């Protein structure tokens, strides 16, 4: 189980161990899901509708975008900005998981609340995500700009949903921490949390490419936004409510794979660390 568990027979994780496992999980997961992330960012930044019925923009569907990027930019384009993306994943995974483990342990030791309850996981998960976002924001901006350019040349709530879903899926008569449960629970948690927070992710991506308009010209219309409120108002006025959910399909697929694999690999590396310590 992710988070401090006083009932666990194993010794509590140190901050360094949680950071190491989180970094490794983020690194492996990033290499797998990078193509979906590139497509998601391209959809998010497109002003024109992303619709196969009304084909206004450069991209109008998941498979069409995949073929278009492959034809025009080649296979390596799906890993554009991979170095800052890997640094982002390593940094984010380390800060997020280390913060979450430390916060849940602090709650257990310093308050009367149970560290394994959904409410505690929701609050600690939010704080851990905020810490990771602040720490990794420069890398996230770099990653977005690399992925957004053609040729020539990152709010999560998933800890809350993950632990609820894993408890529901885990058999009552076993203490097994199976990787399959982690993968399924993480995937479902990723889809739920991404759907809830998606408009904020889209707004963040639009603001991150401010001042980068020249590199976006070949993709269609470009916009310059003057802050968060201006971005929200103009997207709502020009693109409608659906504009806040552009690229949701590849994003949900990416979220399912990303969050599922992140928790799967995190628990894999944690178990490996515990095994090495015990031996």
């Amino acid at each position: 189980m992710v988070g401090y568990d006083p009932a666990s027979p194993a010794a509590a994780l140190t901050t360094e161990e949680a950071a190491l496992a989180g970094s490794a999980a983020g690194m492996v997961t990033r290499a797998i899901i990078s193509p979906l992330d590139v497509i998601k960012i391209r959809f998010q930044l497109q002003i024109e509708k992303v619709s196969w019925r009304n084909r206004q923009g450069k991209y109008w569907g998941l498979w069409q975008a995949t073929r278009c990027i492959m034809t025009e930019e080649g296979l390596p384009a799906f890993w554009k900005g991979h170095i800052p993306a890997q640094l982002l994943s390593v940094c984010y995974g380390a800060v997020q998981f280390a913060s979450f483990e430390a916060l849940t342990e602090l709650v257990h030791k310093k308050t009367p609340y149970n560290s394994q309850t959904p409410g505690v996981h929701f609050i600690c998960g939010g704080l851990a995500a905020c810490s990771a976002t602040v720490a990794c924001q420069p890398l996230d901006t770099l990653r977005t700009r690399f992925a957004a350019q053609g040729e020539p040349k990152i709010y999560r709530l998933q800890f809350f949903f993950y632990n609820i879903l894993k408890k529901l899926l885990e058999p009552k008569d076993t203490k097994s921490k199976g990787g399959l449960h982690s993968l399924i629970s993480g995937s479902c948690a990723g889809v739920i949390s991404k759907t809830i927070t998606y408009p904020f992710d889209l707004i963040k991506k639009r603001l991150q490419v401010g001042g980068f308009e020249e590199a976006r010209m070949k993709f269609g219309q470009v916009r310059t936004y003057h802050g968060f409120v201006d971005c929200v108002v103009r997207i709502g006025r020009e693109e409608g409510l659906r504009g806040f959910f552009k690229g949701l399909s590849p994003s949900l697929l990416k979220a399912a794979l990303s969050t599922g694999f992140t928790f799967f690999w995190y628990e894999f590396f944690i178990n490996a660390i515990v095994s090495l310590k015990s031996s």
Side-chain angles (χ1 to χ4, degrees), residues 145-277:
R145 292 193 174 193
F146 278 124
Q149 67 182 355
E151 292 292 344
K153 303 219 176 344
I154 165 140
Y155 306 93
R156 303 189 178 188
L157 304 170
Q158 68 261 38
F159 285 108
F160 169 70
F161 296 113
Y162 169 76
N163 282 305
I164 288 180
L165 290 165
K166 190 169 184 192
K167 285 178 181 178
L168 291 173
L169 288 170
E170 203 164 66
K172 304 296 183 186
D173 58 347
T174 179
K175 293 184 179 179
S176 171
K177 305 296 183 182
L180 182 60
H181 290 153
S182 298
L183 189 61
I184 296 173
S185 301
S187 296
C188 294
V191 169
I192 295 169
S193 59
K194 175 56 70 175
T195 302
I196 294 171
T197 62
Y198 190 78
F200 295 102
D201 187 41
L202 183 139
I203 293 166
K204 180 183 74 170
K205 290 293 188 289
R206 293 282 181 97
L207 293 174
Q208 282 179 330
V209 294
F212 197 60
E213 290 81 7
E214 185 177 348
R216 298 285 307 152
M217 291 292 186
K218 64 175 294 183
F219 293 99
Q221 299 179 43
V222 295
R223 295 287 186 276
T224 300
Y225 301 106
H226 305 287
F228 177 83
V229 175
D230 179 56
C231 185
V232 172
V233 171
R234 291 182 65 184
I235 291 174
R237 184 174 62 237
E238 297 174 2
E239 304 169 51
L241 182 62
R242 296 182 64 179
F244 292 101
F245 293 91
K246 280 182 177 175
L248 182 61
S249 297
S251 183
L252 290 183
L253 182 56
K254 176 219 165 186
L257 293 173
S258 176
T259 312
F261 278 122
T262 297
F263 282 109
F264 171 83
W265 287 113
Y266 178 74
E267 294 207 1
F268 173 85
F269 288 118
I270 284 297
N271 290 334
I273 291 171
V274 171
S275 297
L276 287 173
K277 285 172 65 177

Side-chain angles (χ1 to χ4, degrees), residues 21-53:
S23 296
M27 181 175 65
V28 175
T29 302
R30 171 61 64 178
I32 297 171
I33 56 89
S34 181
L36 287 170
D37 199 31
V38 169
I39 294 171
K40 180 204 74 168
I41 291 173
R42 297 286 179 93
F43 281 9
Q44 286 179 323
L45 299 179
Q46 180 168 296
I47 303 300
E48 297 86 355
K49 285 184 179 180
V50 179
S51 171
W52 65 271
R53 292 190 183 91

